[in-house]
Amino acid sequence: MAAFNIGADDLVDNPTPRVPVSLCLDTSGSMGGSPIEELVRGVNLFYDAIDEDDDAHDSAEINIVEFNSSAGLVHDFASIERLERISSLTASGATAMGAGVNLALDTLDRRKATYSGSGVLYYQPWLVLMTDGGPTDNIDLAVRRVVDLVEAKKLTVFPIGIGSGADMNTLARFSPNRPPLRLDGLKFKEFFEWLSKSVARVSRSTPGDTVKLDLEGLAGWAEL
Amino acid sequence: MSLDVQLLDPVEFLQPNRRLLIDTNIFMDPDARRAGGLKRLFERGQDAILENSNPIVVPTKVIGELTKQSRRDPSREAEERTKVAIKKAGIALSFLEDASKVGLVRKDLGDDSNPYADDLFLRIFERFAPAYEMCLLTRDITIKLRIRLLAHRLDKRLLTGVVTKDGDLEIESDQSLFDRGLRKYALRTSNVAEGNGNFKDRSEVASLEPLLEQFRQALDLKAPEAKAGDRPAKPSAPRGSSGRAPTAQPFSSTSKIKPRDAVLAFASLPTEGDRVSWESASKSGTFLLGSLLGEGGEGSVYQGDRNTVVKIFDKEHVTRHRKEKVELLVRSGIQAKGLCIPSAMVCNAAGEFVGYVMPKATGREARTIFNIRKLEKDFPTWNKSDLVDICISFLEQVQHLHSMNIILGDINPKNLMIDDRKNVFIIDADSWQLEGYPCPVGTPMYTSPAMLGKTYADDLRSMEDELFAVGTMLFQIVMTGQFPYMRTGTDGDMVQLIKEGNFAFQYENRNNKDQPDGDWKFIWSHIHKPVKDLFWHTFHKEGKRYRKRPTAVEWLGVFKAYKAYLGNEQFSFDPMSNSVRPIRPKAFKPDTPIRDCPTCGRKHAIAGIWNDESQDYFVPSACNKCRGSSVRGAIPARSARAGLDPPQPATATSTGKTRVSALAKQYGIASKDALEKLSALGEFAKTASSSVGPDAVRRFETAYGAELRSALRQRTKALDPSRRCARCRNPFITYGNVEWHQRAGKPVPTTHKPGPGGTYPPGCFPPSPSPRGSTTTTSTTSDNKPKKKATKQQQTTTTKKKKGFWSWLFD
Ligand SMILES: Nc1ncnc2c1ncn2[C@@H]1O[C@H](COP(=O)(O)OP(=O)(O)O)[C@@H](O)[C@H]1O
Ligand SMILES: [Zn+2]
């Protein structure tokens, strides 16, 4: 009988505590060409890795927010089982990073409210912010929201610069606890592999536990 | 102060709605104060017995025991007492023979396959409690306690007593029974402790301990002071059921923690293919490490010799504590199936301690059963009683360790493995707490509120901390992974949830608005009441066991009762209670109509909902899932922009009898009467699986089950032309309604019932106006409980009585 209606109770059927992860990605014009292709490949690899890990498979819920001249939702939160791999992202326009981060935070808030309302246990969410440039809109509000959440231990944030044009000073404002990292070349693959392992590690802990990130693993993809 | 005993006239218990039974020991009673009582009992009762054709029951088992006694040779017995007993048995037998000839005694009842007379009486009482009030005459305190406990659970009048000299039934109060039970327990325990205990003493101790505790709780009796004091893991606890090594001595129950742990020096850590040396309590040798089987937080596990594995610690975890603990365990000689206890120390080539050998666990990590989808996929045939078996197996292991003064400490699903036969294996012995060595690791979800602020490695866990983890694990096993403190409106902070102690699952009349969404409330609703009680009291901050948590032995008691309950259709009459995933509340009464869902085909998915106004059941046309999904909409599947897709419509079902018959034929079922034959899908499965295999049946079920059932449903709605109203001679009742009455064991009505507004069809005049109300609106309550409005005095009393019984079973 299990075969009936399997989608309907996805969220509440699974008692495993969730890790909501929002990928907030820069898809401005400058990302065109191989950066965006590598990014798409990296994201799909991330999905595959999560899918294959027994623990992360049941816990991770991922969404993608993109920002260029404005911000938009590529797909909302869903368990890995329900996520199709992305076929492409289009690079064009400016870098509305403030709007992108605000949208990502809004979606995270909504997801937490859904968990809370349905009685599903969760870990504090993760925000992955990736950009190859600097913001073209005002980021003050977004920065304040992120910093408040991080300081209240309600968010883990990973600001990642792509290429030499990434404005690391801006990214640093989003990261009160640790310096932002710059991707080594186009090592998206290595980064997302590391990210999936980190998500898996969280899934193996229990909510409330402090999880140590694998800092040694950073060496595989970050320029130090 | 209530009276300790109460006297009843035997005639009272010979009325048609009552039954009187006698146990062997009454016939053998040596007490002169009661001599001649049985004779008086029969003299006083015989008229009533014959008038009501209600002979006193002396089961075959009792006859058998008396026969065995009487056949012993008195000349070979030294003790006078025994000689008297042999004679007594003979007299009793010939009396019973005569009495049964004249219809005063019934001695053909019983089941000789069960070697224990106690169990037999209990079974008889369980089986007939719904039908009769019963009284057992016996002198055995244990069976008395059992029956009184059963009476309490079922809210039925089930009594036990002895016969006085005058033939009265002497019924003892529960408190007095309990006190006597304690004395018996103390006596047997001291026999055992002094080394004079025989098998009977040991088994009595083992069964009395949980029984007395349950009895005390259930009847809310006072516990004696002395017993409440000695809570920490005590060595007196009985051994588990099977094959335990009787020689092993328990560890000391010290509460003094050892000095801090320290890493030991070593030259190198062996890995796959390396030669290591081993040393057990009596032997030593070397072997090669086999392939890597798994990695944990503290070490790697390799295949060892034959049925063993070897754990080699990581470099930070080769520590003094681990070495000394492993040494203690190796030397203890404790062995039991399912406990992966170190059997030998393992050293590297330099002869330094690096790990240990243990038995290999089989099966898979408990996590599989903590995810309902995985469970349904990996163990499609399992039902609730299989999960209860796992709880029992887990508890037997835990209880055994506790009896050795070992605290598991880091109880969590990763340290349990479960095989296909539902045996639980406990691994990670090196983390156990014993002899003052702490368990240095832990898992927040299983950490008691008291332990939450502490450092696992620096504090010893108390038995209370341990029992919190045990309770949580049990809850998660029967609730397929749900966390006891899950509720809506949390901010995901598990530590906070544990500290709050706000157990949100519906209990008795408490507010339940925080229960988590999904089927959890239904899964919970079907759990056996005594288990529910213990969970609630353990986890809710207002519960009686919140600070004094149930022991493994106590849990064993209620889980064994749960198992028995699921196997007894009289009590567990709702077939969905045995499902791992109930999707509706438990049916409230045995006569609740229960149907398969015609839309989705889920078995037993629909239960009638009691309607106050019509005093009848309303049967929804589809199950919760089918009704719910049209409202909620499905979660969009596999889409890059999930959330934008329209909900998928339910697969259209339009087909006729022909297609069903054709398919039935294809699957090997005679087409002529396909519909008849498939009248229950269960039957279909039976017919088909023998000829075409379970896979085909499943495919058929998925594809056409719903259609079939809907066709059948059409039939259940149709009037049965062969039955006609006794007043107006017209067909008046549907096939479905006829079956419903038959299934509920009720007489099928013979006339029209009043329709809306108390009206009858033309030409059908009832003899007197209906006393009932005139509306038939359905009550909108979501539970299935009958809420009777009692108007007459007499109705009030019966309703009240029933309520206690039902609320015990079904709340
Ligand atoms: N007795 C055993 N039999 C079979 N496999 C085992 C046994 N003990 C451990 N394992 C495997 O090794 C893994 C790690 O063991 P565990 O004792 O849990 O490590 P740690 O305590 O270091 O976390 C387990 O998940 C399991 O797969
Ligand atoms: Zn249905």
Side-chain angles (χ1 to χ4, degrees):
Chain A
M1 301 290 147
F4 296 101
N5 228 346
I6 217 128
D9 298 309
D10 236 14
L11 179 68
V12 288
D13 245 18
N14 174 1
T16 317
R18 303 310 150 79
V19 199
V21 181
S22 183
L23 304 179
C24 183
L25 308 176
D26 183 345
T27 54
S28 61
S30 57
M31 287 287 289
S34 51
I36 200 102
E37 283 165 23
E38 289 302 310
L39 177 61
V40 167
R41 212 166 303 162
V43 168
N44 286 336
L45 184 131
F46 175 59
Y47 287 180
D48 291 343
I50 295 284
D51 204 356
E52 278 157 27
D53 184 280
D54 276 349
D55 295 290
H57 175 276
D58 290 352
S59 315
E61 293 206 315
I62 304 159
N63 85 348
I64 297 182
V65 167
E66 62 173 342
F67 55 93
N68 34 59
S69 294
S70 63
L73 191 59
V74 177
H75 69 71
D76 206 348
F77 285 105
S79 68
I80 197 71
E81 235 164 89
R82 317 234 143 241
L83 284 179
E84 252 183 24
R85 306 303 176 250
I86 52 173
S87 47
S88 66
L89 292 169
T90 315
S92 72
T95 313
M97 191 188 297
V101 170
N102 276 321
L103 178 58
L105 293 178
D106 291 345
T107 61
L108 286 170
D109 276 349
R110 270 208 305 274
R111 197 61 184 164
K112 290 211 296 186
T114 304
Y115 296 149
S116 175
S118 332
V120 172
L121 222 47
Y122 62 93
Y123 303 85
Q124 293 306 331
W126 287 18
L127 172 64
V128 177
L129 172 59
M130 302 188 95
T131 182
D132 70 339
T136 54
D137 64 348
N138 187 316
I139 59 165
D140 292 348
L141 174 64
V143 165
R144 203 169 57 242
R145 287 177 71 187
V146 169
V147 169
D148 285 352
L149 286 167
V150 170
E151 280 173 352
K153 293 207 164 77
K154 299 226 176 264
L155 181 71
T156 303
V157 61
F158 299 95
I160 311 290
I162 303 165
S164 55
D167 177 355
M168 299 309 279
N169 289 332
T170 299
L171 285 179
R173 292 181 62 198
F174 284 108
S175 187
N177 288 350
R178 93 181 80 84
L181 293 163
R182 196 195 300 273
L183 203 64
D184 184 1
L186 291 180
K187 290 193 170 168
F188 287 100
K189 177 168 168 281
E190 288 78 1
F191 165 70
F192 279 109
E193 250 165 25
W194 175 86
L195 187 67
S196 68
K197 285 205 187 100
S198 306
V199 171
R201 196 187 280 244
V202 170
S203 321
R204 276 186 267 284
S205 71
T206 28
D209 244 0
T210 39
V211 181
K212 284 212 198 76
L213 290 172
D214 168 23
L215 297 176
E216 279 174 32
L218 293 181
W221 55 271
E223 231 169 48
L224 295 168
Chain B
M1 210 30 241
S2 64
L3 284 175
D4 272 357
V5 294
Q6 179 194 1
L7 292 186
L8 292 181
D9 185 340
V11 174
E12 191 192 324
F13 253 89
L14 297 167
Q15 297 310 307
N17 62 332
R18 305 206 175 93
R19 290 290 181 273
L20 188 60
L21 299 90
I22 307 184
D23 195 0
T24 319
N25 56 44
I26 292 289
F27 297 103
M28 310 297 291
D29 193 349
D31 192 333
R33 284 169 305 171
R34 291 190 290 265
L38 265 179
K39 184 161 168 273
R40 283 292 295 146
L41 172 77
F42 275 93
E43 283 167 8
R44 288 170 61 182
Q46 60 182 343
D47 289 348
I49 293 175
L50 297 175
E51 191 175 319
N52 302 322
S53 321
N54 188 8
I56 294 176
V57 178
V58 181
T60 49
K61 190 100 238 161
V62 171
I63 302 292
E65 283 174 357
L66 290 170
T67 311
K68 211 168 126 204
Q69 273 284 352
S70 69
R71 290 204 181 129
R72 288 163 67 181
D73 180 355
S75 64
R76 296 170 71 181
E77 299 293 337
E79 286 200 43
E80 191 52 34
R81 229 176 30 178
T82 320
K83 293 185 182 172
V84 173
I86 296 170
K87 201 167 138 224
K88 265 205 161 113
I91 295 171
L93 275 174
S94 52
F95 164 74
L96 286 171
E97 187 55 38
D98 294 346
S100 97
K101 275 193 196 126
V102 296
L104 291 178
V105 162
R106 186 170 168 190
K107 54 187 187 108
D108 58 343
L109 209 81
D111 164 16
D112 290 331
S113 65
N114 189 323
Y116 304 106
D118 281 16
D119 286 2
L120 170 73
F121 281 118
L122 212 62
R123 280 233 293 276
I124 294 179
F125 272 64
E126 265 193 4
R127 168 115 190 269
F128 294 104
Y132 308 110
E133 296 183 356
M134 287 179 277
C135 177
L136 172 66
L137 298 178
T138 181
R139 285 164 41 228
D140 181 340
I141 194 78
T142 310
I143 182 69
K144 282 186 177 187
L145 289 166
R146 287 218 166 101
I147 285 178
R148 289 298 300 150
L149 194 60
L150 181 72
H152 173 76
R153 285 195 176 152
L154 305 184
D155 196 11
K156 289 279 168 186
R157 188 160 179 241
L158 307 176
L159 303 178
T160 65
V162 293
V163 199
T164 67
K165 209 178 180 64
D166 302 322
D168 282 315
L169 313 183
E170 183 182 300
I171 313 291
E172 212 168 339
S173 77
D174 289 330
Q175 179 73 51
S176 145
L177 264 181
F178 178 65
D179 293 343
R180 280 215 292 143
L182 279 177
R183 286 200 293 276
K184 175 169 172 185
Y185 174 73
L187 182 73
R188 303 280 190 183
T189 316
S190 71
N191 283 350
V192 173
E194 285 159 15
N196 301 327
N198 55 19
F199 171 76
K200 188 140 195 253
D201 287 325
R202 280 195 300 274
S203 73
E204 285 277 12
V205 167
S207 64
L208 269 174
E209 182 169 288
L211 177 62
L212 283 166
E213 188 55 24
Q214 283 171 42
F215 193 80
R216 186 185 64 71
Q217 282 167 35
L219 295 150
D220 215 8
L221 301 172
K222 288 187 297 289
E225 294 310 311
K227 196 158 185 284
D230 61 354
R231 287 269 300 161
K234 53 175 193 278
S236 71
R239 295 199 182 286
S241 53
S242 59
R244 308 297 197 196
T247 48
Q249 287 297 309
F251 292 102
S252 85
S253 58
T254 176
S255 55
K256 239 182 93 203
I257 191 163
K258 293 276 183 214
R260 276 197 135 205
D261 202 3
V263 177
L264 297 175
F266 59 89
S268 67
L269 287 179
T271 165
E272 262 178 35
D274 288 348
R275 182 162 293 277
V276 294
S277 58
W278 57 269
E279 191 182 336
S280 73
S282 53
K283 291 183 208 131
S284 63
T286 69
F287 64 85
L288 298 180
L289 279 188
S291 54
L292 181 68
L293 298 177
E295 283 177 293
E298 294 117 52
S300 304
V301 174
Y302 300 91
Q303 178 64 45
D305 248 4
R306 274 167 288 153
N307 259 337
T308 66
V309 300
V310 179
K311 182 162 176 177
I312 303 291
F313 293 111
D314 296 340
K315 59 179 191 291
E316 314 87 69
H317 295 107
V318 182
T319 67
R320 175 175 307 131
H321 279 190
R322 286 198 174 77
K323 179 180 180 196
E324 291 172 2
K325 241 197 252 185
V326 167
E327 220 163 4
L328 281 169
L329 285 164
V330 168
R331 275 206 246 106
S332 74
I334 308 173
Q335 267 179 17
K337 184 170 174 347
L339 291 178
C340 298
I341 296 181
S343 57
M345 316 269 292
V346 168
C347 294
N348 60 12
E352 295 149 334
F353 167 79
V354 287
Y356 63 92
V357 182
M358 65 181 137
K360 184 171 186 167
T362 53
R364 49 198 111 190
E365 278 184 24
R367 177 173 56 191
T368 315
I369 62 165
F370 281 17
N371 180 325
I372 187 116
R373 301 234 179 112
K374 281 192 186 130
L375 174 65
E376 284 170 332
K377 199 166 107 239
D378 289 1
F379 301 103
T381 62
W382 277 16
N383 43 42
K384 193 62 115 195
S385 74
D386 296 296
L387 298 181
V388 171
D389 282 339
I390 291 171
C391 290
I392 292 173
S393 174
F394 166 68
L395 283 165
E396 282 173 343
Q397 307 292 17
V398 168
Q399 187 262 317
H400 183 52
L401 291 174
H402 287 178
S403 75
M404 304 306 290
N405 284 332
I406 294 172
I407 284 186
L408 288 83
D410 188 19
I411 292 178
N412 77 70
K414 292 201 154 88
N415 286 337
L416 303 185
M417 313 253 285
I418 298 168
D419 72 12
D420 291 355
R421 294 165 63 199
K422 299 170 285 180
N423 296 307
V424 172
F425 292 82
I426 299 193
I427 61 172
D428 207 13
D430 56 277
S431 69
W432 295 345
Q433 171 179 314
L434 52 104
E435 295 275 359
Y437 294 100
C439 166
V441 284
T443 312
M445 190 181 268
Y446 304 86
T447 305
S448 74
M451 190 72 198
L452 271 172
K454 301 185 189 165
T455 315
Y456 297 123
D458 295 344
D459 284 286
L460 287 182
R461 283 172 169 85
S462 68
M463 189 43 113
E464 288 301 330
D465 297 326
E466 173 91 335
L467 293 174
F468 178 84
V470 170
T472 304
M473 181 56 71
L474 292 169
F475 187 86
Q476 289 195 303
I477 299 173
V478 275
M479 290 285 290
T480 54
Q482 188 54 286
F483 172 55
Y485 289 118
M486 201 56 245
R487 58 176 176 84
T488 60
T490 82
D491 69 351
D493 185 346
M494 170 176 300
V495 169
Q496 193 52 38
L497 289 173
I498 294 175
K499 284 185 174 163
E500 271 170 21
N502 179 1
F503 182 81
F505 289 91
Q506 163 83 50
Y507 186 67
E508 293 181 346
N509 297 323
R510 285 172 177 263
N511 166 346
N512 65 336
K513 68 179 184 343
D514 293 342
Q515 291 191 98
D517 284 0
D519 294 332
W520 304 108
K521 52 187 172 296
F522 304 134
I523 301 179
W524 169 254
S525 124
H526 283 261
I527 287 182
H528 193 207
K529 184 66 162 68
V531 172
K532 250 188 192 176
D533 286 340
L534 215 46
F535 277 138
W536 192 85
H537 284 291
T538 302
F539 290 118
H540 198 285
K541 59 181 174 300
E542 290 160 25
K544 286 188 199 147
R545 311 303 305 275
Y546 187 65
R547 293 203 161 68
K548 194 168 170 292
R549 303 189 176 98
T551 62
V553 173
E554 260 180 87
W555 282 116
L556 261 178
V558 290
F559 274 96
K560 284 188 171 165
Y562 193 175
K563 172 87 182 162
Y565 163 81
L566 286 174
N568 182 335
E569 278 171 29
Q570 290 241 343
F571 294 124
S572 182
F573 50 76
D574 185 341
M576 191 160 264
S577 296
N578 201 16
S579 155
V580 293
R581 184 206 293 230
I583 56 161
R584 57 161 173 80
K586 183 160 161 179
F588 201 61
K589 288 175 57 173
D591 67 359
T592 310
I594 291 174
R595 308 262 189 280
D596 299 347
C597 175
T599 310
C600 67
R602 282 183 176 84
K603 277 194 96 64
H604 315 304
I606 301 173
I609 297 171
W610 183 252
N611 179 337
D612 265 357
E613 301 293 342
S614 66
Q615 292 286 296
D616 201 352
Y617 285 98
F618 161 70
V619 181
S621 61
C623 74
N624 276 336
K625 297 273 163 185
C626 294
R627 283 182 300 158
S629 60
S630 57
V631 181
R632 236 182 303 142
I635 284 185
R638 296 223 168 251
S639 156
R641 291 185 182 247
L644 305 178
D645 287 359
Q648 288 190 312
T651 44
T653 57
S654 70
T655 187
K657 217 167 157 176
T658 28
R659 203 164 113 215
V660 170
S661 321
L663 269 147
K665 198 168 176 185
Q666 187 186 324
Y667 283 96
I669 295 153
S671 71
K672 183 178 152 274
D673 53 358
L675 262 182
E676 298 286 24
K677 238 191 173 159
L678 305 182
S679 68
L681 211 85
E683 214 162 293
F684 163 64
K686 244 187 282 157
T687 331
S689 59
S690 53
S691 52
V692 295
D695 260 9
V697 173
R698 212 170 300 128
R699 262 185 316 211
F700 186 86
E701 151 80 59
T702 314
Y704 305 104
E707 271 167 36
L708 268 175
R709 272 182 290 265
S710 109
L712 285 164
R713 215 184 128 68
Q714 290 308 318
R715 199 183 102 102
T716 62
K717 280 188 193 157
L719 289 175
D720 179 347
S722 69
R723 291 181 190 262
R724 299 189 178 240
C725 171
R727 287 192 299 264
C728 67
R729 316 300 307 155
N730 288 321
F732 72 105
I733 188 165
T734 60
Y735 284 109
N737 203 342
V738 171
E739 277 169 27
W740 181 83
H741 281 91
Q742 289 168 338
R743 211 170 319 145
K746 297 183 164 192
V748 177
T750 52
T751 57
H752 273 105
K753 284 216 292 188
T759 55
Y760 287 85
C764 184
F765 300 108
S768 62
S770 156
R772 288 209 183 103
S774 57
T775 48
T776 52
T777 38
T778 301
S779 92
T780 50
T781 45
S782 65
D783 61 6
N784 297 358
K785 298 180 187 178
K787 292 192 192 82
K788 293 201 178 177
K789 275 190 208 156
T791 43
K792 293 182 207 139
Q793 176 66 36
Q794 175 206 9
Q795 203 177 346
T796 319
T797 44
T798 54
T799 310
K800 205 165 158 205
K801 181 149 180 132
K802 278 210 172 131
K803 223 171 179 168
F805 173 54
W806 299 124
S807 67
W808 173 75
L809 276 174
F810 311 113
D811 177 31

